[in-house]
Amino acid sequence: MGGVEERGFLRGSDRTGQECAAGSAPRSACLAAVPRGALAAPPAMPHFTVVPVEDKHRAEYDSVEGLSWVDYREPAAAPAAGDSYDTVSSDGHGNHKENSPFLNSSEAGKGGDYYDRNLALFEEELDIRPKVSSLLGKLVNYTNLTQGVKEHEEAESTDGSKKKVSKSPSMGTLMGVYLPCMQNIFGVILFLRLTWMVGMAGVLQSFLIVLLCCCCTMLTTISMSAIATNGVVPAGGSYFMISRSLGPEFGGAVGLCFYLGTTFAGAMYILGAIEILLTYIVPQAAIFHPSGAHDASSAMLNNMRVYGTVFLILMAVVVFVGVKYVNKFASLFLACVVISILSIYAGAIKSIFDPPEFPICMLGNRTLSRDQFDVCAKTIVKDNITVASKLWELFCHSTNLTTENCDEYFVMNNVSEIAGIPGAASGILKDNLWSNYLEKGEILEKAHHPSVDVAGQKNNLHLYVLSDIATSFMVLVGIFFPSVTGIMAGSNRSGDLKDAQKSIPVGTILAIVTTSLVYFSCVLLFGACIEGVVLRDKYGDAVNKNLVVGTLSWPSPWVIVIGSFFSTCGAGLQSLTGAPRLLQAIAKDNIIPFLWIFGHGKANGEPTWALLLTALIAELGILIASLDMVAPILSMFFLMCYLFVNLACAVQTLLRTPNWRPRFKYYHWALSFLGMSICLALMFISSWYYALVAMLIAGMIYKYIEYQGAEKEWGDGIRGLSLSAARYALLRLEEGPPHTKNWRPQLLVLLKLDEDLHVKYPRLLTFASQLKAGKGLTIIGSVIQGNFLETYGEAQAAEQTIKNMMDIEKVKGFCQVVVANKVREGIAHLIQSCGLGGMKHNTVVLGWPYGWRQSEDPRSWKTFIGTVRCTTAAHLALLVPKNVSFYPSNHERYNEGNIDVWWIVHDGGMLMLLPFLLKQHKVWRKCKMRIFTVAQMDDNSIQMKKDLATFLYQLRIEAEVEVVEMHNSDISAYTYERTLMMEQRSQMLRQMRLTKTEREREAQLVKDRHSIARLESLYSDEEDEGDPVPENIQMTWTKEKCDAEKRNRGSAVGSFRDLISIKPNQSNVRRMHTAVKLNEVIVNRSHDARLVLLNMPGPPKNTDGDENYMEFLEVLTEGLERVLLVRGGGREVITIYS
């Protein structure tokens, strides 16, 4: 750099510098004015400025995605407070400092293209491949909202100009995951059925039940944590995780199972609330009363149905009116649960030194229902007189102290009173260790209590405490499992969590550990503090209709009664809130078309229709009216869901997909499989018939989604599993060619497209679908002529068109479109390269070149014959359906007719196999098969027929057999004349093409007199392999050239005269004779056949006879409506062996 230039730049005194500073000079001039060294590290320049300049090319950069315009200025000339330009300063030593290191997307369009020079190498791709800065900016702005939050809490103004800034997720592990999981896990079963379960199963088996269920949920949580921490989990919770891990089919099936489970959970909670209300709080509110001693259970069920329906309607209205109220009261309901549990522990501790007074009246060793009498004695002293007690009246039906009408068991046994809550120090634990399962209607008895075993009267059974259902280990598992569900509460709230990938595993596992410890300790405390007969008393009949767990609580049984009532009501509201949103998420994914209506709702996004359906399904659960019957149903659906969460984790882990990178590291595929096995075992343990029904429902939904063809690609594990299975199968197939028994035509169908890229002969696809019936491999191939770089979009459009046509014609297969300079080369590429490994085509289906006689252009039939030669060289079978437009569609049915096979030469058995495969399809099923073979004069036709019938019998193919004798006859004049016409026509067309080409060449020479022309080949066919015309042509007319042109014209005229005196080739005459004779025989026998299958003769080895070959095929098939020309691939495709 010269000194003058440097000084001029530093002073900035020239006009260009001033214009640049003012922003009026062109950008190129400004950049030219800046010397290279000045931008590097000028020793005498403490500060520099590059000011943004507008120019006419600015619009070109505005369209580039993510481009940020940044202006660099001196600190001295810092922008005003309102200006948002970034600044760069220098410390005087060439070390420049950025005042703002971040790019702001809002600055787009304000400055120059300073950064463009740094990315000049990539500038042409910036519109499709954004800069890293813009990508990161988009990721930072990503908001992860739960279902409905956007509509409810981020209301937008009507003009869209003002938007509320969405709150960033701020919930931690405790409030966001731990407490919601605790609230969902603790439920009605803990308060209403856990004491009864301990009494029936004993402490040890109760431990086993709790251990099984808690292990199931813990292993599922480990799998769920791995999935939830493998990327962002939006709304939908478990449904989203499963569907994105296992695909839309599994996702839809399990999502609906989870939805049904949540809905039935709502019904179970409502039934629990009604049971607490009518049994323990206000029994007098019952509408139905037992008419007899044995109608108590049916009256109770009817009361549950009526009150349950009323409660359900009220809860649905609350959910419909405002979900926010449900969420606000959630913490109150959780407080009720916690207080209730703490009162149990307090009561257990108090029972050590001061057990509560709850005496139980025993008659012998039988437990009496205490609500029907007040004094536990046979007689009482009233005014110093011994009189019959209420108990005596009930058993003896009189107030007299006579035993004539008394129950025998009442007379023989004494009445005694024992403590219902002996306390933790009483040693009652050893009596409650072992199980004591009862059948329905059995009386609760205390073992080892003194009694005389005599039969009592049946009409007095209502005075005892009876077992209302038959119990077993399996029944109790089904009833208890709902009390450990609810582990998905944290993952469902992932959008509200500050760090979901840390909070979900930690919070959920802590919640399960806490609840498991509570369950284990409660089992132990119940067994250690409460008398066995009281534990087995489900409704507290022996303790004056008190809630059994309430008898242990401190300070009062009402703490637990009221607390459990409110907690069950709250849990029911939560279920009715969550289930419709889950259904809405499934409906919005549009994988189950008939659910689309449930994706809509109110203007604020509330799922109104989904809520209505949820209420109707919950009503079904309420009509069952028994908590013990509803619990196993929802157990099935939750277990199904947990099973697939484990499966999803195991599949992803074993496949080792590149995207499987969970932050939660403490998982293993073996743990997932163990969890899956426990889920499956629990399903069949609790109720095998419910398990089968749940699996049937899930299977039907899976097949429905698969049948509808859910066009969702979520990068799921099942797709990866399919790829791994396909790879394994392909590697196995590579070991060798398929055995003859396994051979079936694997089709490569070559389609021709018209100028608008529409399929020219769609019936080729119809024929392929009828032949394959969904079995084996079908590849639909087509060739587009041109340059790949220029016609790639056209090839994509053609591929989509073919795929649409395949869907219409129900062809299950693959599509491949090749771009090639010559059609024949493209077809050769398809024949060579289609398929993968052992899954390659072995049969080519090729359309007939219609109108080849009328066309002066020989490309069509030359391409046809070239393809025939390619398939022969590749040892592939070839099928040529002629008159394919007359072939039946998939909607037609042939109720009668024949498929005729003309077996002229043995070609590997293809002619036998194809009709058999066609007859598997409904179109051809009722057609009969006839096989004709041709006998020569020296053949024994009778023996041939017998042998053929035996061969077909061994092949297990039913067909009529006929042998046609062809006598040697002289060549007829018709045959001779036909051959002569064929050769004359061929010669004439060749001469016409010659003269046409000569005229074109002459015109080209005149046109391009001063240029070098590349001429077409001798024929108009661009694919002809004839001698190429020299590229460099002398452009001057000489005397010799003029004479040569005249000679050429003279020879052309002479050759037309020679056509009249031509004599046909004897080889062609013989071939024509065969074609004519065979055609006569075939038309005579098969003119009314639905389809004629015929051996296709091979093309001549000498290419000069190609046109004659086409004529022979036309003659051979004349007069036949539907013909399938078949050429084998040189191997046996059918066998008589099993």
Side-chain angles (χ1 to χ4, degrees):
M1 176 172 23
V4 176
E5 292 174 341
E6 187 174 10
R7 284 194 300 275
F9 171 73
L10 293 175
R11 279 197 303 269
S13 58
D14 62 349
R15 190 178 64 182
T16 306
Q18 293 169 0
E19 290 174 354
C20 288
S24 59
R27 188 191 306 267
S28 56
C30 292
L31 293 178
V34 181
R36 294 177 186 173
L39 289 177
M45 185 180 67
H47 304 290
F48 68 88
T49 303
V50 179
V51 183
V53 179
E54 297 288 340
D55 70 14
K56 62 182 179 180
H57 301 295
R58 172 68 177 276
E60 296 175 10
Y61 294 94
D62 286 340
S63 62
V64 178
E65 182 183 346
L67 209 57
S68 298
W69 304 90
V70 183
D71 173 38
Y72 295 85
R73 299 187 178 184
E74 294 186 12
D83 202 330
S84 61
Y85 286 122
D86 293 334
T87 58
V88 175
S89 61
S90 171
D91 58 2
H93 302 286
N95 302 321
H96 309 298
K97 301 175 291 184
E98 287 191 19
N99 291 355
S100 175
F102 298 103
L103 299 177
N104 191 348
S105 58
S106 64
E107 294 165 0
K110 290 186 180 177
D113 57 345
Y114 184 81
Y115 269 136
D116 293 355
R117 279 172 284 165
N118 292 339
L119 297 176
L121 193 61
F122 304 94
E123 62 187 6
E124 292 183 2
E125 295 181 311
L126 281 176
D127 53 342
I128 56 172
R129 298 180 184 182
K131 292 191 297 183
V132 174
S133 58
S134 60
L135 172 68
L136 293 176
K138 287 183 179 180
L139 290 177
V140 166
N141 292 329
Y142 174 77
T143 55
N144 176 19
L145 299 173
T146 55
Q147 193 77 25
V149 170
K150 181 180 179 183
E151 294 85 351
H152 301 155
E153 299 181 6
E154 200 182 83
E156 298 179 2
S157 58
T158 52
D159 59 353
S161 59
K162 295 180 180 179
K163 292 186 179 180
K164 291 184 181 179
V165 179
S166 60
K167 293 181 180 178
S168 60
S170 59
M171 297 183 79
T173 305
L174 181 69
M175 294 300 294
V177 181
Y178 180 73
L179 293 180
C181 282
M182 290 269 287
Q183 182 186 355
N184 279 264
I185 293 171
F186 284 135
V188 64
I189 302 294
L190 170 63
F191 302 115
L192 294 185
R193 294 292 182 270
L194 190 60
T195 53
W196 174 72
M197 185 187 85
V198 174
M200 291 295 181
V203 173
L204 295 180
Q205 288 193 25
S206 297
F207 267 135
L208 182 59
I209 292 171
V210 174
L211 182 66
L212 269 175
C213 296
C214 291
C215 281
C216 174
T217 51
M218 179 59 83
L219 292 171
T220 304
T221 301
I222 291 171
S223 300
M224 184 196 74
S225 300
I227 298 171
T229 58
N230 186 51
V232 179
V233 179
S238 59
Y239 161 70
F240 183 90
M241 289 191 293
I242 296 168
S243 60
R244 270 54 176 183
S245 298
L246 291 179
E249 295 90 357
F250 277 112
V254 180
L256 278 185
C257 281
F258 191 54
Y259 163 73
L260 291 172
T262 310
T263 306
F264 275 102
M268 184 189 74
Y269 289 129
I270 292 172
L271 289 174
I274 302 301
E275 184 178 311
I276 295 169
L277 181 72
L278 294 182
T279 310
Y280 308 113
I281 299 178
V282 278
Q284 60 272 21
I287 299 171
F288 299 93
H289 299 281
S291 56
H294 305 290
D295 295 336
S297 61
S298 61
M300 183 63 183
L301 293 180
N302 288 330
N303 284 319
M304 301 275 276
R305 292 183 181 110
V306 173
Y307 276 99
T309 306
V310 172
F311 262 55
L312 176 63
I313 293 170
L314 288 174
M315 287 185 176
V317 169
V318 170
V319 172
F320 178 78
V321 169
V323 183
K324 56 185 177 182
Y325 301 115
V326 178
N327 293 328
K328 282 179 180 176
F329 283 108
S331 52
L332 175 64
F333 298 140
L334 178 61
C336 291
V337 175
V338 174
I339 292 169
S340 301
I341 293 171
L342 290 177
S343 74
I344 294 173
Y345 287 115
I349 294 168
K350 179 177 176 291
S351 72
I352 297 174
F353 51 85
D354 184 16
E357 290 289 332
F358 282 100
I360 301 167
C361 192
M362 306 291 294
L363 178 60
N365 64 351
R366 296 179 181 180
T367 311
L368 293 172
S369 181
R370 193 63 185 260
D371 63 327
Q372 302 184 44
F373 58 91
D374 50 356
V375 179
C376 182
K378 290 184 180 182
T379 60
I380 57 174
V381 177
K382 196 171 185 182
D383 298 331
N384 293 325
I385 300 170
T386 302
V387 295
S389 66
K390 179 68 174 174
L391 193 61
W392 186 285
E393 292 179 20
L394 291 171
F395 276 98
C396 297
H397 308 291
S398 74
T399 56
N400 298 326
L401 293 176
T402 57
T403 58
E404 295 173 359
N405 299 322
C406 287
D407 188 304
E408 188 181 357
Y409 187 85
F410 177 74
V411 174
M412 299 297 292
N413 288 281
N414 294 322
V415 175
S416 60
E417 229 176 19
I418 63 171
I421 312 292
S426 63
I428 196 72
L429 178 63
K430 63 179 182 295
D431 295 332
N432 293 331
L433 281 178
W434 312 109
S435 62
N436 195 352
Y437 296 116
L438 301 175
E439 292 299 317
K440 184 177 181 180
E442 211 173 323
I443 300 171
L444 269 61
E445 296 178 347
K446 179 173 173 58
H448 314 301
H449 203 68
S451 69
V452 179
D453 191 12
V454 293
Q457 294 176 2
K458 286 189 176 179
N459 58 356
N460 289 328
L461 285 177
H462 67 282
L463 300 172
Y464 301 107
V465 180
L466 305 176
S467 172
D468 63 332
I469 61 169
T471 52
S472 65
F473 180 81
M474 294 185 285
V475 170
L476 295 180
V477 167
I479 292 173
F480 176 75
F481 187 79
S483 63
V484 295
T485 60
I487 60 173
M488 300 291 183
S491 62
N492 290 343
R493 294 165 178 253
S494 58
D496 301 326
L497 300 173
K498 192 184 299 180
D499 186 359
Q501 299 192 353
K502 176 186 173 187
S503 297
I504 289 175
V506 174
T508 311
I509 290 173
L510 281 177
I512 289 179
V513 170
T514 306
T515 52
S516 301
L517 289 175
V518 169
Y519 285 135
F520 281 120
S521 60
C522 282
V523 167
L524 189 62
L525 289 177
F526 294 158
C529 297
I530 304 175
E531 172 61 49
V533 288
V534 179
L535 286 173
R536 289 189 285 280
D537 181 5
K538 186 186 289 185
Y539 300 111
D541 292 328
V543 284
N544 289 325
K545 287 286 185 181
N546 274 304
L547 181 61
V548 173
V549 68
T551 59
L552 182 62
S553 66
W554 179 88
S556 167
W558 288 100
V559 174
I560 284 192
V561 171
I562 301 299
S564 60
F565 177 75
F566 280 115
S567 69
T568 47
C569 288
L573 281 170
Q574 292 281 356
S575 296
L576 290 179
T577 305
R581 276 158 183 70
L582 181 59
L583 182 62
Q584 189 181 41
I586 298 169
K588 282 186 174 179
D589 266 346
N590 200 27
I591 55 173
I592 304 175
F594 67 81
L595 291 180
W596 66 270
I597 185 67
F598 301 110
H600 305 291
K602 291 196 292 188
N604 63 351
E606 280 291 331
T608 312
W609 292 106
L611 177 62
L612 184 63
L613 180 68
T614 303
L616 290 174
I617 296 173
E619 178 63 19
L620 294 177
I622 284 168
L623 291 177
I624 295 173
S626 171
L627 187 68
D628 304 319
M629 295 291 287
V630 174
I633 296 175
L634 68 104
S635 294
M636 288 308 116
F637 291 125
F638 278 120
L639 281 166
M640 181 81 72
C641 177
Y642 295 167
L643 185 147
F644 282 106
V645 169
N646 285 300
L647 176 64
C649 181
V651 166
Q652 299 272 39
T653 308
L654 288 174
L655 287 177
R656 295 175 183 170
T657 50
N659 192 50
W660 181 245
R661 303 184 298 275
R663 289 189 178 278
F664 181 77
K665 301 297 182 186
Y666 306 102
Y667 69 95
H668 193 269
W669 62 266
L671 291 176
S672 299
F673 270 116
L674 180 61
M676 196 170 67
S677 306
I678 293 175
C679 288
L680 196 63
L682 285 175
M683 285 176 71
F684 282 94
I685 284 172
S686 55
S687 177
W688 63 268
Y689 44 89
Y690 279 159
L692 292 178
V693 170
M695 286 181 166
L696 182 65
I697 291 172
M700 286 169 61
I701 298 167
Y702 179 96
K703 294 307 289 184
Y704 175 76
I705 296 171
E706 189 180 55
Y707 174 76
Q708 286 291 330
E711 296 180 3
K712 302 282 182 186
E713 175 52 64
W714 287 329
D716 50 84
I718 293 297
R719 298 292 189 277
L721 192 61
S722 301
L723 283 171
S724 294
R727 171 184 167 276
Y728 176 76
L730 284 170
L731 290 173
R732 289 288 302 274
L733 285 174
E734 197 71 37
E735 293 175 4
H739 192 274
T740 305
K741 289 186 287 188
N742 294 327
W743 195 96
R744 65 164 64 243
Q746 316 285 13
L747 300 183
L748 169 61
V749 183
L750 297 174
L751 283 187
K752 189 172 184 181
L753 304 178
D754 59 17
E755 293 80 6
D756 298 326
L757 299 180
H758 294 144
V759 178
K760 207 165 187 180
Y761 302 111
R763 284 294 162 88
L764 272 176
L765 291 173
T766 312
F767 171 71
S769 72
Q770 292 169 5
L771 183 62
K772 298 296 292 178
K775 304 292 192 299
L777 175 71
T778 305
I779 302 172
I780 311 299
S782 188
V783 178
I784 291 180
Q785 195 171 346
N787 187 325
F788 178 71
L789 294 177
E790 296 169 1
T791 56
Y792 175 72
E794 195 176 329
Q796 293 290 99
E799 189 168 325
Q800 192 56 48
T801 304
I802 293 173
K803 283 180 178 176
N804 293 340
M805 187 58 69
M806 289 169 69
D807 288 340
I808 293 169
E809 297 295 339
K810 293 183 170 56
V811 177
K812 294 183 179 177
F814 308 98
C815 172
Q816 191 159 353
V817 176
V818 170
V819 179
N821 289 326
K822 295 184 179 180
V823 175
R824 203 186 306 174
E825 288 180 2
I827 291 174
H829 293 158
L830 282 173
I831 290 173
Q832 291 177 72
S833 60
C834 271
L836 184 64
M839 202 67 174
K840 291 181 75 72
H841 58 278
N842 53 31
T843 306
V844 177
V845 179
L846 182 63
W848 178 262
Y850 301 100
W852 68 272
R853 281 173 171 164
Q854 290 74 27
S855 173
E856 292 184 11
D857 190 354
R859 280 182 289 185
S860 60
W861 60 263
K862 278 183 172 292
T863 302
F864 175 81
I865 296 175
T867 306
V868 174
R869 286 198 173 98
C870 281
T871 54
T872 306
H875 301 291
L876 301 175
L878 178 67
L879 307 179
V880 181
K882 199 161 180 285
N883 302 329
V884 75
S885 301
F886 297 111
Y887 276 51
S889 70
N890 284 325
H891 304 294
E892 295 179 44
R893 301 283 189 282
Y894 285 149
N895 294 322
E896 56 182 3
N898 298 312
I899 300 176
D900 286 358
V901 176
W902 284 84
W903 192 18
I904 299 165
V905 293
H906 181 57
D907 224 359
M910 279 282 287
L911 284 168
M912 310 292 171
L913 187 61
L914 291 174
F916 171 77
L917 294 175
L918 276 175
K919 276 168 63 66
Q920 307 302 307
H921 196 273
K922 56 190 175 184
V923 173
W924 306 92
R925 189 164 292 147
K926 294 186 179 177
C927 291
K928 294 181 179 177
M929 184 174 162
R930 297 191 302 183
I931 296 184
F932 298 90
T933 187
V934 177
Q936 302 301 320
M937 286 299 293
D938 52 348
D939 292 330
N940 185 342
S941 58
I942 298 172
Q943 188 60 40
M944 273 183 71
K945 186 171 182 177
K946 287 181 180 177
D947 293 344
L948 182 55
T950 306
F951 180 56
L952 287 177
Y953 177 78
Q954 290 173 332
L955 286 176
R956 290 91 64 203
I957 291 177
E958 295 181 9
E960 295 179 23
V961 176
E962 206 164 325
V963 176
V964 179
E965 295 182 353
M966 286 187 67
H967 303 285
N968 288 335
S969 60
D970 294 332
I971 295 171
S972 64
Y974 169 76
T975 303
Y976 194 86
E977 193 69 27
R978 188 85 189 246
T979 313
L980 183 62
M981 284 171 61
M982 175 186 75
E983 293 195 352
Q984 283 179 342
R985 177 185 174 282
S986 177
Q987 189 68 22
M988 186 185 299
L989 286 172
R990 190 175 289 114
Q991 291 300 330
M992 284 172 65
R993 282 195 291 273
L994 276 170
T995 53
K996 179 182 176 184
T997 307
E998 289 299 325
R999 285 198 307 273
E1000 288 175 354
R1001 183 164 60 176
E1002 192 171 309
Q1004 189 73 18
L1005 287 170
V1006 173
K1007 180 181 176 183
D1008 300 331
R1009 187 177 296 270
H1010 301 294
S1011 64
I1012 298 175
R1014 176 179 176 83
L1015 298 182
E1016 298 287 332
S1017 55
L1018 191 59
Y1019 298 119
S1020 61
D1021 177 18
E1022 87 285 4
E1023 293 169 20
D1024 193 354
E1025 285 95 7
D1027 295 332
V1029 177
E1031 292 188 12
N1032 296 328
I1033 300 172
Q1034 187 177 356
M1035 288 299 161
T1036 55
W1037 287 96
T1038 60
K1039 188 174 185 300
E1040 291 80 4
K1041 181 150 189 68
C1042 189
D1043 292 342
E1045 289 294 326
K1046 288 178 181 177
R1047 283 197 299 276
N1048 284 341
R1049 288 176 186 171
S1051 64
V1053 173
S1055 62
F1056 278 113
R1057 292 180 190 136
D1058 293 341
L1059 288 174
I1060 304 167
S1061 57
I1062 195 170
K1063 289 187 177 181
N1065 185 298
Q1066 288 303 311
S1067 173
N1068 288 344
V1069 172
R1070 287 200 316 275
R1071 288 189 171 89
M1072 183 64 78
H1073 174 69
T1074 305
V1076 169
K1077 290 289 290 179
L1078 272 174
N1079 179 255
E1080 285 178 4
V1081 174
I1082 293 170
V1083 170
N1084 185 34
R1085 299 295 184 93
S1086 301
H1087 62 278
D1088 59 347
R1090 298 295 187 186
L1091 181 65
V1092 176
L1093 282 84
L1094 182 63
N1095 282 114
M1096 180 180 181
K1101 293 180 180 177
N1102 184 5
T1103 56
D1104 293 339
D1106 284 357
E1107 200 165 0
N1108 300 336
Y1109 172 68
M1110 294 296 295
E1111 189 68 36
F1112 295 146
L1113 293 180
E1114 286 281 13
V1115 171
L1116 184 62
T1117 56
E1118 256 178 3
L1120 297 171
E1121 188 178 14
R1122 284 179 287 269
V1123 186
L1124 181 62
L1125 295 170
V1126 181
R1127 184 165 173 76
R1131 62 161 292 171
E1132 292 293 328
V1133 300
I1134 197 165
T1135 178
I1136 63 174
Y1137 300 107
S1138 61

